[in-house]
Amino acid sequence: MGLANALISSTLGFWRGTHIREDGLSREGKEQLQALQLYDMEGCPFCRLVREALTELDLDVVIYPCPKGGQRFRSRVLALGGKEQFPFLVDPNTGRSMYESRDIVEYLFRQYGQGETPGIWRLFTLNKASAIAANIVRMGAGVFARPSKRPDLMLELYAFESSPYAKPVRERLCELEIPYLLHNMGKSGLADYMLPVLRRRFYPGYAPATRNRQRLLSDTGLVMAPHLVDPNTGERLYESRQINRYLNRQYGI
Ligand SMILES: N[C@@H](CCC(=O)N[C@@H](CS)C(=O)NCC(=O)O)C(=O)O
């Protein structure tokens, strides 16, 4: 599915999951956090709302994909929470786990944001409708499992929720049931909004303010989403098409 379609999807999602909000944590506090765990289906609008909030709160999260027909993580959700329903969040920092996107979003802002759920996020019915519309245009991508080999080590993905380039990669990771540590890299300053290739060329002094962007810059010299790191093979890849080709080749059956 093309880029235009992913752009329409992000627009229907009102570009939630782009800009980082003021949070209630110091930088050190954030670095000491254990990554949250989300049992997720990429093509599920309710999961999307949770991932959007995670980007806005600049939180890292391990995504356990649970597509329909998936064999790897669905039974774990059933054992942990009592039903196969997604999203299901586990927070190892507080010992809390929960279903229901609205409860999860409110919990995240209470625990890791300013306390109050931000105004726009209180329009939950509207946000749900927009997330449903945003997912419909993806026509079932990121919903159904495909046969795959399970990687030994956890892959890592640098991305932010509304990135139209990251969307097809997350869909493929979900379909292949590949768990991954998602390093959220939402935007916080004007320079974060420049196109990466132009920024690299015309703004060599770019100094991002957030930790995942800083890490990407120091590791690769480029800050662009998505970026996949596979510790099983040592591969580090930019470019969504190349990443998906790699995932199919390496882990598809
Ligand atoms: N009210 C729930 C609805 C969650 C929901 O219906 N999720 C669907 C996926 S979009 C689900 O878990 N379906 C069961 C399945 O896929 O097996 C929420 O907002 O989190």
Side-chain angles (χ1 to χ4, degrees), residues 168-187:
V169 171
R170 291 196 316 266
E171 286 167 350
R172 189 58 46 85
L173 286 163
C174 181
E175 291 163 359
L176 295 172
E177 292 184 87
I178 299 176
Y180 57 101
L181 174 57
L182 176 61
H183 297 293
N184 267 310
M185 46 175 288
K187 299 172 190 290

Side-chain angles (χ1 to χ4, degrees), residues 139-160:
M139 293 184 285
V143 172
F144 300 102
R146 302 181 183 203
S148 70
K149 291 176 276 199
R150 184 175 176 170
D152 292 330
L153 302 173
M154 180 85 71
L155 275 62
E156 295 178 46
L157 183 72
Y158 288 79
F160 57 94

